[in-house]
């Protein structure tokens, strides 16, 4: 059975003092021998703080994006190697906010995925359809396009050791969560696509997280589904009790 993972995505939130309080509250409740894995993806300037507070704990840390370039004249960019220097484990790539607000195309996302890999980071590769696409019955076509872009570039094993996050755009920050059946259907589709195009054993091991208005109140329901391997949590990751409860729900799903 795949283990469960809960990852917080702080987005453009935080301050040195606020992060300190939040992380210390998480550390009090998330022990090293917990049933589910846990991580937080923080804004770049807070990677040093995350390392200082979290090293040696059960909580890993990461960034929310990375440059597709390794170095050079790219003002404002942050390379995956720089992120890795802070002992980060993860870099989110292809988040829908990057895709829609900052022009990350499939090709750019694939290049960022490769850059994260080169630096030894575990990419969290986000995919998901908009409301318009779902209503037009195009959910699977969109997921297939996003997943295939990556598989075609990486060849066999492109997703080995990586994490996928299914985040329907209409559920992100809206309070509107996908039903557990909708989530399971999309996750099973993604896993099947990877199995068909790459190797079934890589697909079987691949953690596929659900993201989009995950909260303590709906986490257990979602995590009980066979292809939902945990969550990528935005808003609720900023509230310690909520995030801890979501992480506990993931642990309970492993045991149950
Ligand atoms: P949300 O965000 O939990 O606030 O909906 C999830 C995400 O965008 O990763």
């Amino acid at each position: 059975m795949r283990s469960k993972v809960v990852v917080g995505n702080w987005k453009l939130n935080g301050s040195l003092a606020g992060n300190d309080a939040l992380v210390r509250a998480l550390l009090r409740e998330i022990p090293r021998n917990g049933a589910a894995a846990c991580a937080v993806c923080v804004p770049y300037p807070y990677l040093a703080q995350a390392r200082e507070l979290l090293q040696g704990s059960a909580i890993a840390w990461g960034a929310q994006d990375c440059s597709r370039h390794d170095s050079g004249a790219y003002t404002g960019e942050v390379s995956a190697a720089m992120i890795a220097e802070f002992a980060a484990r993860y870099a989110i790539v292809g988040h829908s906010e990057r895709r829609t607000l900052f022009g990350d195309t499939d090709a750019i996302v694939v290049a960022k995925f490769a850059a994260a890999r080169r630096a030894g980071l575990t990419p969290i590769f986000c995919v998901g359809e908009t409301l318009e696409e779902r209503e037009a019955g195009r959910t699977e076509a969109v997921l297939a396009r996003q997943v295939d872009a990556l598989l075609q570039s990486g060849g066999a094993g492109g997703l080995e050791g990586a994490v996928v996050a299914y985040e329907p755009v209409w559920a992100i920050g809206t309070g509107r969560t996908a039903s557990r059946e909708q989530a399971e259907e999309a996750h099973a589709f993604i896993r099947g696509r990877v199995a068909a195009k790459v190797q079934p054993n890589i697909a079987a091991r691949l953690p596929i997280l659900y993201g989009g208005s995950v909260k303590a109140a709906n986490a257990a329901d979602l995590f009980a589904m066979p292809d939902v391997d945990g969550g990528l949590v935005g808003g609720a990751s900023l509230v310690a009790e909520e995030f801890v409860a979501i992480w506990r729900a993931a642990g309970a799903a492993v045991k149950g």
Side-chain angles (χ1 to χ4, degrees):
M1 187 189 187
R2 288 177 301 276
S3 54
K4 302 266 182 200
V5 188
V6 171
V7 179
N9 173 13
W10 290 1
K11 307 193 181 186
L12 182 51
N13 295 291
S15 64
L16 288 171
N19 305 341
D20 190 84
L22 172 60
V23 168
R24 285 180 197 282
L26 299 181
L27 286 171
R28 281 195 290 275
E29 302 295 333
I30 299 183
R32 259 196 289 273
N33 55 357
C38 186
V40 289
C41 288
V42 305
Y44 298 131
Y46 299 137
L47 283 168
Q49 185 188 27
R51 176 175 61 175
E52 198 181 306
L53 291 168
L54 294 172
Q55 60 190 351
S57 80
I59 307 174
W61 58 97
Q64 300 165 16
D65 192 21
C66 68
S67 178
R68 62 191 194 275
H69 306 290
D70 290 338
S71 64
Y74 302 105
T75 301
E77 288 284 88
V78 174
S79 76
M82 293 171 184
I83 296 163
E85 275 202 295
F86 292 92
R89 182 175 307 164
Y90 296 105
I92 298 172
V93 297
H95 191 280
S96 67
E97 286 151 17
R98 303 297 320 174
R99 290 180 190 262
T100 57
L101 303 173
F102 300 98
D104 282 13
T105 60
D106 284 332
I108 291 173
V109 173
V110 165
K112 289 182 171 186
F113 184 99
R117 283 283 208 209
R118 284 197 294 281
L121 298 172
T122 299
I124 300 176
F125 173 64
C126 299
V127 295
E129 81 288 358
T130 62
L131 184 59
E132 200 185 8
E133 289 162 342
R134 176 164 281 270
E135 286 176 346
R138 294 183 47 230
T139 298
E140 293 192 346
V142 171
L143 296 178
R145 192 202 77 221
Q146 293 170 334
V147 170
D148 288 358
L150 187 70
L151 297 181
Q152 277 153 16
S153 77
L159 274 168
E160 174 95 74
V163 175
V164 171
Y166 168 61
E167 298 204 309
V169 179
W170 47 271
I172 296 178
T174 58
R176 197 175 153 187
T177 318
S179 70
R180 59 192 209 153
E181 290 77 19
Q182 285 171 322
E184 173 59 24
E185 202 179 355
H187 285 226
F189 176 79
I190 293 165
R191 199 180 303 286
R193 193 85 185 170
V194 175
K197 299 254 167 173
V198 195
Q199 293 157 4
N201 58 341
I202 291 176
R205 284 196 298 268
L206 182 67
I208 306 180
L209 313 184
Y210 169 79
S213 299
V214 177
K215 333 181 240 291
N218 58 27
D221 230 29
L222 289 159
F223 298 165
M225 302 311 275
D227 285 293
V228 179
D229 304 313
L232 181 56
V233 185
S237 74
L238 301 172
V239 182
E241 309 83 78
E242 273 286 309
F243 191 60
V244 167
I246 293 166
W247 173 79
R248 288 207 177 108
V254 173
K255 290 181 192 139

